[in-house]
Amino acid sequence: MAEIKLLEEKVGSIRKKETMLESLKEILDDPRCPDGFLECMQCATCVASCPAARIYEFNPREMMRQLYEGNLEELLKGDRIWECGQCYTCMSRCPRGNNPGGVIMILRYLSCWRGHGLKKIPYATVLMWNLYTKGYSLSPDVFWDGFIDEFGETAVNMWKNMKEIRKELGYLPDDARMEPIPEESMKELRAILDETLYRKYWDNFEKNGVAMKDLLDHLGSFDYYKPAWKEEK
Amino acid sequence: MGDKVGVFICHCGGNISKYINMEELTKYALTLENVPVAENYIFMCSEAGQDLIKDKIAEYNLDRVVVASCSPKFHEPTFRRTLQETGLNPYYLAMANIREHCSFPHSDEPDKALQKAKDLVRGAVARAKTLEPIEKKKQIMNKDVLVVGAGIAGIQASLDLADAGFKVYLVEKDASIGGNMPKVLKTFPTDDCAMCTVSPKMNEVAAHKNIEILSYAELRECNGSMGNFEVVVEKKARLVDERKCVGCGDCMAKCPSKTADDYNQIGQRKAIYIPFPNALPKVATIDTSVCLQITKGKCGVCKKICPADAVDYEQKSQMVKLNVGAIIVATGYKEYDPSIKGNYGYGRYPNIITQMQLARMMDPNGPTEGKIIRPSDNKEPKRIVMVQCMGSRDDKPTGRKYCSRVCCMIALKHANLLKRDCIKDSQIDICYMDIRAFGKGYEEYYQRVQDLGVRLTRGRPGEIIGTDDGSNNLIVRVEDTFTKEFKEIESEMVVLSCATDPSDGTKEVAKVLGIATDDGGFIKEFHPKLRPVDTSVEGIFVAGAAQGPKDIPDAVAQASGAAARTMALLSSDIAEISLDKALVNKEECKGCDICEKTCPFDAITMVDLPEGRKAVVSEALCHGCGMCAANCPTGAMQLRHYKDNQVLAEVGALIGSH
Amino acid sequence: MKQTRVPILHGDKEIPLDNYYFFRSCIMSTLFPGVDCSLRFIFEKLGCSYTEDPKQTCCSGFNYHADIIPWETNVTIQARNFSLIENEEKNKNAICVCPTSYGNIKECQEHLDHYPEEKEKANKIIAKFGKEYKGEAKIYHATEVIYAHREKLKKLATYSLDGLKVATHHGCHYTKIFYSDVATGDWEYPIVLDKIVENFGGEGLDYNEKTLCCGMGFRHTLINRDYTRTVMLRKLKSMKATKPDLLLVQCPGCSLNLDYYQKPLTKLAGEEFNIPVLNYAQLTALVLGADPVKVVGIKTHNVDVMPFIEKVQKNKVKEVAQVG
């Protein structure tokens, strides 16, 4: 009779208890979540259009279904959501007005807030700080060793001379533009970053035990990272 | 002014009473001024309910009646009849819609729903007091019928009516009658020859003494109303005398000018043409857009060669006036143009065709004489992919939201014919979302196709692109959603199962007749369940794919339905037209002609009278929509039954606390 | 204000012919400053008034799609940028050089306009330094503007692209996010860039993978390049089959990938590509006679553009001294 009991236990564990909309609340409440998400008819136009689905076992259709089934946490912990290339072809073709790429982006942020995804975004150490100090996502001085190497000798030599090339065009060597963003505007930008979730997102790394400095290893040797905000102030 | 208003509140069998407290509402109605009696009942529209109204009218000597129930769209005619039977003018009825406007949307808030129901009843009572009698005009009913569109639906409706003794004018826009059916080669689920089915019907129509065919003709104007429509049909100039032409085809053989074949949708035809061998009338027509004699003024080959001397370059189009009592719209559908969806490559790659083009290829009398060939190199394709829901079930701005109903079966039929008759060693793949084989015998057909080894992949392709190797082959990218496999199916030809669009004629005719259309542009039926062949205008009916995508059995059934409805209407000799239409107060009219411009039915004309320029409304044309009254700056234009004082009385009562 | 109408999916949209707010892109200015210079060159040739506002910050679109800037922050940054645009005296038409800027700030604007409470929230933050988003900013992509000016640009052209075959690649964040707004109407087969090429006498090529993404993927091109390489290889192979003289792009990210990856992919896949890559503004400036180094900035390209430029300079239609 032991087997029968075991089988019964299995049946008990697959019984769904939560209601559908409850488990999806965090996603559905996001203003960017499209109406079409619940209307998904599993047609797979998204998959058939997706550059990532062609390479990986990435499957936006299945992910929409998993969400629908309430398996949110599983998705957030997994690697799959990080394979999307954010090209939005799925959204432009979905016959039910859904935006799988957009929903996946919402999932990525959720995953980071929960702490799972932080190691997937090691460049945050560089780029988040760059925005805070200079006002740009990217500027010529943020590229770490190894970023350019792959592109061959021409590219490496070009980047060695990049400061000169930029000067020739009237651009600053280490700033994105011809003149830096004025300090006044930077103060305004920092006020925005401080008062919105940006700072919390940053603090979230430490809170989840992911040291920003350790993340730099993912990028190869690199000394751009500045001390934490607290010390700066 | 009514001073005894009875209020009758309907439970709608729970639809209303479940959410609104009926006793409270009745008690409230009795507190209103000039309301001596208020009753509630489970089904006011039932015979017992109507008897209750009649009894109370007699008992309390009521002169106005309010019924609080469902939308007037459903039962206003019912209750008007009830009033009429007691001798009251039917327009002494005001309805409060406490179902669609109250119990349905507010089912979760019973207290507020009750409050709103009270407000609506109060408004209706206030309006009822101001209502004026409206009479009906009697007219002799014209018994002739106009059928627009001579596809299978129009043909069926015409034959039913003509057999019952009614005179039918059958108008067809194209050079031949027959519509789309002759093009499809075979019909599912029996694989009958389409031409063999429709051709005898075409001949029957042509031979019937009660049917007059006006082919190569278009409906241009329609005035009047049920029982007495005056229509104008333009008989376009064929530049060939229909009476002389014998259809020998000598002219086609010699004509030097070619253009895209709009009948076959592949290949070319001549400037002078008979669209297909079984065309009816079997006479030639000159396409003036490409005829060298017409465009360049030199050629004249057909005229020289014609043994019957039928070619007449000077022929002019004719306007034909007809008087009819009823109209049936059977203007049909056309295939969706897939080139607007760039990711499916139609128009970009030569070897992507539509199901209709494939059907034409299969036809032994068609442009390829029954051979299936790739347009790029005229070779027989061995690997063919069919893509379902091309444009259907798609809420993108380039798609159609609805299911087109027939494409699943068309694809299965063509897969069947390809595998069984045309290319036995071919590999056919069908990429689909759901196979909707809902008709009688359809599921069985689906099974038989599976038996032939046609591979069905459940997934909607994302894109179709060419190969880089110069073979003109195609790659269909699709996920098999059952196995989660990302497939790139290489094929030699792709066939798109396109959505069904309303035909251009459907859109034009709807505009001329002033009948409502739905979101997709199809003719809207008056009531989807109870009056499925009636349109928004009395006396005008709809049949076939003009009303929505449908297959041949459904189109034929609906055509017979429309014919039966027409016969029922025309069985009485007198047409009663109620005069709840716009009315001009000549003293207040300043002749500004705003109403003339706003009227969607051209029912208003400006006339210079001795006392000045005034608007005049044609009772025959006015639909009573109220656009003119709403736009009139002086208030001279009033819609009877919705006069300013009547509407304002209701609004005043609605917003005022009582 | 002068404007012209350009067809979109349903109907058309108005593209202003003057008074631009040059909405700079951090990636473009970092990797291809020549595109900025070319655009200035074009505006001056056209006699258009434009503002280059140092106060405008990054749109943060790159960070947003790379999952490192919360939506709320992104929206508030845009509210501030929009208020700068609205405060301009006349140059109120934001011209994005980068499709991700275009897609991102348009999405933010839609969000702010659609949710009054979100707009209030953002305005409350930027009010602290005296700014307010009212809801008037208008957003365009620079290719639309060049397309709108095509007739005048043709008259100003020094060179023609006669006999040159150009493959084009449109940015996904221009064509696919606001697909109903794509100039020339079709997001599944966009041809704004092809129209620009054809305007100067060149031939826009149809290649099979025309609408495929460049494989940027934001985080992918930073730390997961297998993805980028794989997608890119497919794209480049298909393009190469049509033997283009040039690859014309719309986006700094696509330029980075399609230009920089050609050499490593040759190593990996053993296939030579060597397709020079230029941006829409660079090509236009070049045709108008701009200096290839000092204005067009070809030194920032990994694949040598000079062979293409030599071909163009053979097609002189007008004797005009080169402008530096």
Side-chain angles (χ1 to χ4, degrees):
Chain A
M1 294 303 279
E3 287 91 347
I4 292 171
K5 205 180 160 201
L6 274 173
L7 293 176
E8 263 313 313
E9 271 170 14
K10 185 177 182 292
V11 173
S13 72
I14 61 170
R15 191 169 297 156
K16 273 202 178 299
K17 294 196 180 75
E18 79 284 13
T19 63
M20 185 175 109
L21 295 179
E22 248 170 59
S23 57
L24 288 175
K25 206 173 175 324
E26 264 172 307
I27 309 291
L28 293 173
D29 283 354
D30 193 301
R32 291 164 296 163
C33 181
D35 300 336
F37 165 56
L38 291 174
E39 295 167 17
C40 172
M41 55 179 167
Q42 295 284 303
C43 70
T45 305
C46 49
V47 183
S49 306
C50 178
R54 203 168 163 280
I55 305 170
Y56 302 122
E57 271 171 46
F58 177 75
N59 191 319
R61 172 188 63 79
E62 197 190 14
M63 290 160 88
M64 295 304 112
R65 185 70 204 174
Q66 271 176 283
L67 263 187
Y68 192 84
E69 286 290 332
N71 301 337
L72 175 64
E73 298 305 321
E74 223 170 282
L75 275 170
L76 298 184
K77 282 176 194 154
D79 290 339
R80 291 274 98 96
I81 51 172
W82 298 98
E83 290 167 349
C84 163
Q86 291 287 298
C87 73
Y88 287 93
T89 313
C90 48
M91 173 217 201
S92 74
R93 286 181 186 164
C94 175
R96 283 291 171 94
N98 190 15
N99 177 2
V103 172
I104 286 166
M105 177 152 65
I106 296 172
L107 293 177
R108 286 179 177 184
Y109 279 97
L110 264 185
S111 172
C112 288
W113 284 115
R114 300 265 215 281
H116 311 307
L118 293 174
K119 284 192 176 154
K120 299 282 185 187
I121 50 169
Y123 48 80
T125 48
V126 180
L127 301 190
M128 282 185 82
W129 186 248
N130 202 46
L131 183 67
Y132 196 82
T133 51
K134 288 223 186 71
Y136 313 113
S137 298
L138 294 177
S139 53
D141 54 343
V142 301
F143 294 106
W144 46 87
D145 296 350
F147 185 92
I148 299 297
D149 290 355
E150 174 183 344
F151 302 124
E153 215 178 314
T154 327
V156 171
N157 288 334
M158 176 167 87
W159 273 87
K160 273 183 192 153
N161 299 323
M162 197 47 109
K163 291 186 184 188
E164 291 305 312
I165 299 174
R166 291 179 67 79
K167 263 188 220 159
E168 215 174 356
L169 293 166
Y171 275 70
L172 294 171
D174 290 328
D175 194 279
R177 297 189 194 152
M178 301 172 104
E179 54 187 320
I181 298 172
E183 188 47 33
E184 181 71 22
S185 299
M186 282 311 300
K187 273 187 193 152
E188 296 176 3
L189 176 65
R190 279 180 214 129
I192 293 172
L193 299 178
D194 285 342
E195 281 180 44
T196 56
L197 291 169
Y198 196 72
R199 271 303 290 275
K200 292 209 178 81
Y201 201 68
W202 178 282
D203 295 339
N204 192 40
F205 282 87
E206 225 159 292
K207 214 184 272 170
N208 283 291
V210 181
M212 279 283 200
K213 280 188 174 112
D214 296 345
L215 282 179
L216 289 171
D217 295 342
H218 289 258
L219 306 177
S221 64
F222 191 69
D223 59 359
Y224 183 80
Y225 173 66
K226 298 277 173 22
W229 246 302
K230 284 172 240 160
E231 296 163 42
E232 195 71 10
K233 273 197 169 175
Chain B
M1 202 62 180
D3 52 14
K4 281 187 191 142
V5 186
V7 176
F8 299 90
I9 300 163
C10 181
H11 297 199
C12 195
N15 282 325
I16 298 171
S17 56
K18 230 163 104 184
Y19 311 106
I20 298 171
N21 187 324
M22 294 283 101
E23 294 310 321
E24 286 288 317
L25 187 58
T26 314
K27 257 190 250 161
Y28 172 76
L30 280 169
T31 67
L32 297 170
E33 214 177 317
N34 299 16
V35 178
V37 57
E39 295 283 342
N40 64 70
Y41 187 69
I42 180 164
F43 284 116
M44 208 53 90
C45 58
S46 66
E47 206 171 324
Q50 293 187 54
D51 285 345
L52 176 72
I53 297 175
K54 286 184 202 163
D55 290 349
K56 296 297 167 188
I57 289 173
E59 190 182 336
Y60 289 89
N61 202 15
L62 299 175
D63 54 9
R64 298 290 187 278
V65 170
V66 166
V67 178
S69 62
C70 53
S71 162
K73 230 182 143 178
F74 294 100
H75 281 301
E76 196 173 53
T78 314
F79 295 119
R80 278 187 181 159
R81 225 176 298 127
T82 312
L83 264 64
Q84 197 162 22
E85 283 165 17
T86 67
L88 278 181
N89 188 285
Y91 286 88
Y92 281 163
L93 167 78
M95 288 188 77
N97 182 355
I98 58 168
R99 197 177 79 169
E100 282 81 353
H101 288 181
C102 195
S103 72
F104 282 174
H106 307 304
S107 55
D108 50 347
E109 299 171 298
D111 291 344
K112 286 185 183 167
L114 174 64
Q115 188 51 50
K116 184 170 174 184
K118 285 179 180 176
D119 293 345
L120 291 170
V121 168
R122 185 173 68 239
V125 169
R127 173 175 154 75
K129 289 181 199 168
T130 64
L131 292 177
E132 294 167 18
I134 297 174
E135 302 311 323
K136 284 184 172 175
K137 202 167 109 183
K138 288 186 176 172
Q139 276 187 331
I140 307 264
M141 183 84 82
N142 185 315
K143 303 265 180 170
D144 297 348
V145 183
L146 173 74
V147 176
V148 190
I152 186 61
I155 288 174
Q156 182 66 34
S158 300
L159 287 172
D160 285 358
L161 285 161
D163 286 347
F166 292 92
K167 164 88 183 170
V168 178
Y169 298 99
L170 178 57
V171 173
E172 170 56 49
K173 189 183 180 189
D174 286 340
S176 166
I177 64 168
N180 282 313
M181 189 170 164
K183 299 181 197 172
V184 303
L185 184 66
K186 301 267 173 121
T187 57
F188 52 82
T190 47
D191 288 343
D192 285 329
C193 162
M195 186 60 90
C196 320
T197 319
V198 72
S199 193
K201 289 255 178 197
M202 288 161 67
N203 291 330
E204 207 182 327
V205 163
H208 208 296
K209 66 176 175 20
N210 286 341
I211 299 176
E212 187 178 330
I213 298 173
L214 293 103
S215 61
Y216 208 53
E218 287 181 52
L219 183 66
R220 293 289 180 225
E221 254 182 74
C222 175
N223 296 322
S225 58
M226 178 257 283
N228 290 281
F229 291 106
E230 283 173 22
V231 299
V232 177
V233 174
E234 181 187 358
K235 255 190 102 13
K236 296 177 283 185
R238 285 181 194 267
L239 307 191
V240 173
D241 190 332
E242 278 180 34
R243 286 158 305 180
K244 287 187 191 162
C245 176
V246 293
C248 66
D250 288 356
C251 51
M252 286 162 72
K254 289 279 187 289
C255 173
S257 175
K258 282 181 183 171
T259 184
D261 188 340
D262 46 8
Y263 179 81
N264 287 315
Q265 296 173 31
I266 37 174
Q268 293 189 307
R269 65 153 163 78
K270 296 292 180 64
I272 187 163
Y273 66 102
I274 297 172
F276 54 101
N278 294 40
L280 208 156
K282 195 171 180 180
V283 294
T285 303
I286 292 178
D287 183 339
T288 52
S289 64
V290 283
C291 169
L292 295 175
Q293 181 67 32
I294 303 301
T295 54
K296 301 247 164 67
K298 52 183 176 189
C299 179
V301 168
C302 52
K303 194 173 172 65
K304 266 175 241 153
I305 204 149
C306 177
D309 191 25
V311 176
D312 173 10
Y313 299 129
E314 305 302 317
Q315 195 184 54
K316 294 275 173 293
S317 71
Q318 274 178 292
M319 292 294 178
V320 183
K321 270 193 190 157
L322 302 169
N323 291 308
V324 294
I327 299 172
I328 294 178
V329 180
T331 41
Y333 76 97
K334 67 170 181 190
E335 208 177 29
Y336 165 88
D337 175 8
S339 61
I340 61 170
K341 287 195 95 69
N343 49 329
Y344 293 104
Y346 185 81
R348 185 181 176 195
Y349 300 111
N351 293 335
I352 302 180
I353 63 169
T354 68
Q355 291 287 7
M356 187 57 105
Q357 287 175 321
L358 179 61
R360 296 313 303 137
M361 276 190 196
M362 288 185 195
D363 189 344
N365 294 312
T368 60
E369 293 169 347
K371 281 200 275 296
I372 310 300
I373 50 171
R374 316 205 301 167
S376 72
D377 52 13
N378 289 346
K379 279 189 194 138
E380 189 179 72
K382 297 287 184 201
R383 285 168 297 166
I384 299 171
V385 179
M386 294 183 181
V387 176
Q388 297 307 106
C389 294
M390 181 65 235
S392 304
R393 300 178 69 191
D394 182 352
D395 74 359
K396 279 282 167 300
T398 47
R400 309 287 180 255
K401 283 197 176 80
Y402 49 85
C403 165
S404 294
R405 286 176 105 242
V406 291
C407 346
C408 285
M409 286 307 294
I410 290 174
L412 291 172
K413 177 191 80 178
H414 286 172
N416 181 35
L417 297 176
L418 282 172
K419 277 298 271 185
R420 259 192 11 213
D421 303 336
C422 308
I423 319 170
K424 291 196 169 109
D425 57 346
S426 57
Q427 170 60 51
I428 317 274
D429 281 85
I430 301 180
C431 302
Y432 71 99
M433 296 202 287
D434 301 288
I435 291 290
R436 295 185 165 175
F438 51 83
K440 196 171 176 176
Y442 292 4
E443 189 67 23
E444 295 88 327
Y445 193 96
Y446 175 17
Q447 276 182 301
R448 287 203 299 275
V449 174
Q450 286 179 296
D451 275 343
L452 291 170
V454 171
R455 183 162 56 200
L456 287 118
T457 301
R458 200 231 164 247
R460 186 180 190 137
E463 56 203 9
I464 303 167
I465 63 164
T467 52
D468 289 331
D469 57 8
S471 63
N472 275 317
N473 284 356
L474 299 150
I475 296 168
V476 179
R477 295 208 167 109
V478 62
E479 187 208 10
D480 183 335
T481 57
F482 293 138
T483 61
K484 290 204 284 167
E485 184 192 353
F486 191 113
K487 282 193 197 172
E488 288 196 336
I489 310 175
E490 184 168 343
S491 70
E492 288 156 55
M493 189 160 88
V494 171
V495 188
L496 304 175
S497 299
C498 296
T500 299
D501 269 351
S503 68
D504 298 338
T506 298
K507 290 180 199 159
E508 284 156 24
V509 166
K511 216 166 155 196
V512 171
L513 297 178
I515 51 180
T517 52
D518 61 23
D519 291 347
F522 294 100
I523 309 288
K524 198 169 179 174
E525 61 285 352
F526 188 90
H527 188 285
K529 293 170 192 72
L530 302 176
R531 290 172 70 181
V533 297
D534 294 22
T535 67
S536 58
V537 176
E538 257 188 298
I540 303 182
F541 303 95
V542 63
Q547 181 257 344
K550 55 177 65 69
D551 56 17
I552 295 165
D554 285 2
V556 171
Q558 201 186 20
S560 288
R565 288 283 296 152
T566 308
M567 288 179 221
L569 176 77
L570 300 183
S571 62
S572 62
D573 297 323
I574 302 294
E576 278 197 337
I577 298 158
S578 83
L579 295 178
D580 49 346
K581 315 221 160 169
L583 198 65
V584 193
N585 179 340
K586 287 220 171 67
E587 279 162 29
E588 283 174 39
C589 176
K590 300 276 187 288
C592 70
D593 79 4
I594 290 176
C595 54
E596 187 190 19
K597 283 182 195 142
T598 36
C599 177
F601 304 102
D602 295 332
I604 300 173
T605 39
M606 303 307 295
V607 180
D608 287 315
L609 299 173
E611 61 267 37
R613 193 172 154 80
K614 304 288 174 192
V616 175
V617 180
S618 155
E619 280 171 358
L621 297 183
C622 177
H623 281 56
C625 72
M627 290 274 272
C628 51
N631 281 290
C632 178
T634 66
M637 188 65 81
Q638 294 288 319
L639 182 62
R640 297 178 74 178
H641 205 55
Y642 289 95
K643 289 185 171 175
D644 286 355
N645 65 322
Q646 296 168 339
V647 175
L648 290 173
E650 182 166 8
V651 174
L654 277 171
I655 57 176
S657 58
H658 185 80
Chain C
M1 201 197 303
K2 284 183 292 176
Q3 47 204 191
T4 185
R5 305 194 79 90
V6 164
I8 55 173
L9 181 63
H10 290 305
D12 47 24
K13 72 170 168 183
E14 275 177 2
I15 308 278
L17 292 173
D18 202 355
N19 303 117
Y20 303 129
Y21 185 96
F22 185 0
F23 198 97
R24 265 86 47 80
S25 142
C26 65
I27 328 175
M28 196 65 104
S29 304
T30 295
L31 294 164
F32 302 99
V35 174
D36 289 5
C37 300
S38 299
L39 207 57
R40 286 185 204 108
F41 180 87
I42 296 164
F43 284 158
E44 269 147 37
K45 279 265 177 179
L46 288 169
C48 292
S49 155
Y50 70 95
T51 297
E52 222 172 322
D53 186 357
K55 298 194 285 297
Q56 178 229 319
T57 66
C58 171
C59 81
S60 72
F62 186 100
N63 284 3
Y64 175 53
H65 289 284
D67 315 299
I68 52 173
I69 179 164
W71 176 240
E72 184 204 5
T73 310
N74 186 9
V75 167
T76 316
I77 290 177
Q78 254 50 265
R80 180 185 167 279
N81 280 334
F82 292 149
S83 80
L84 293 174
I85 300 168
E86 288 171 351
N87 278 337
E88 277 295 314
E89 205 173 302
K90 52 179 185 154
N91 295 341
K92 285 173 191 282
N93 303 306
I95 304 299
C96 299
V97 284
C98 161
T100 297
S101 302
Y102 170 87
N104 184 44
I105 72 174
K106 223 168 139 118
E107 199 180 341
C108 289
Q109 188 186 40
E110 204 179 68
H111 179 84
L112 288 166
D113 292 350
H114 192 262
Y115 300 101
E117 66 280 7
E118 298 279 319
K119 186 162 142 186
E120 209 177 299
K121 206 166 112 194
N123 269 336
K124 223 169 138 186
I125 295 172
I126 63 172
K128 289 182 184 161
F129 38 86
K131 296 214 159 32
E132 189 200 352
Y133 167 59
K134 297 190 210 68
E136 292 162 6
K138 292 213 165 66
I139 300 160
Y140 306 91
H141 190 269
T143 36
E144 295 173 343
V145 171
I146 290 179
Y147 174 66
H149 281 290
R150 61 195 178 283
E151 278 164 30
K152 194 166 176 194
L153 286 170
K154 193 174 180 178
K155 280 182 203 146
L156 291 170
T158 308
Y159 304 108
S160 124
L161 299 178
D162 196 21
L164 294 174
K165 298 202 287 182
V166 181
T168 65
H169 169 69
H170 294 73
C172 293
H173 288 190
Y174 172 70
T175 57
K176 292 170 186 169
I177 298 182
F178 289 92
Y179 51 77
S180 296
D181 274 348
V182 174
T184 71
D186 196 343
W187 76 93
E188 290 291 6
Y189 194 77
I191 47 168
V192 200
L193 293 176
D194 301 67
K195 291 271 180 195
I196 291 172
V197 171
E198 283 158 21
N199 185 49
F200 294 128
E203 183 194 346
L205 293 171
D206 177 13
Y207 59 100
N208 291 319
E209 296 283 15
K210 190 172 160 84
T211 58
L212 175 64
C213 169
C214 71
M216 164 101 153
F218 299 88
R219 66 182 299 278
H220 295 317
T221 203
L222 295 177
I223 55 164
N224 181 32
R225 290 189 177 170
D226 291 351
Y227 172 85
T228 311
R229 287 182 209 109
T230 315
V231 177
M232 184 82 54
L233 183 64
R234 175 149 67 106
K235 179 110 198 160
L236 286 170
K237 270 188 169 175
S238 165
M239 201 181 293
K240 191 189 155 192
T242 60
K243 300 193 179 72
D245 295 302
L246 177 78
L247 165 57
L248 187 64
V249 287
Q250 196 184 20
C251 165
C254 307
S255 313
L256 163 72
N257 295 314
L258 290 163
D259 181 33
Y260 279 36
Y261 280 86
Q262 285 189 32
K263 285 180 183 168
L265 280 175
T266 300
K267 233 184 239 173
L268 278 173
E271 204 167 332
E272 195 71 41
F273 296 106
N274 223 358
I275 308 168
V277 180
L278 279 181
N279 247 287
Y280 56 96
Q282 291 172 304
L283 180 71
T284 307
L286 194 68
V287 169
L288 296 191
D291 184 287
V293 176
K294 287 180 199 151
V295 177
V296 180
I298 56 161
K299 279 193 191 166
T300 59
H301 290 250
N302 199 19
V303 178
D304 192 3
V305 193
M306 231 23 231
F308 173 75
I309 293 179
E310 278 159 16
K311 285 183 207 165
V312 173
Q313 288 178 341
K314 275 182 202 150
N315 285 336
K316 199 169 248 189
V317 287
K318 209 189 279 171
E319 283 302 326
V320 178
Q322 279 194 8
V323 186

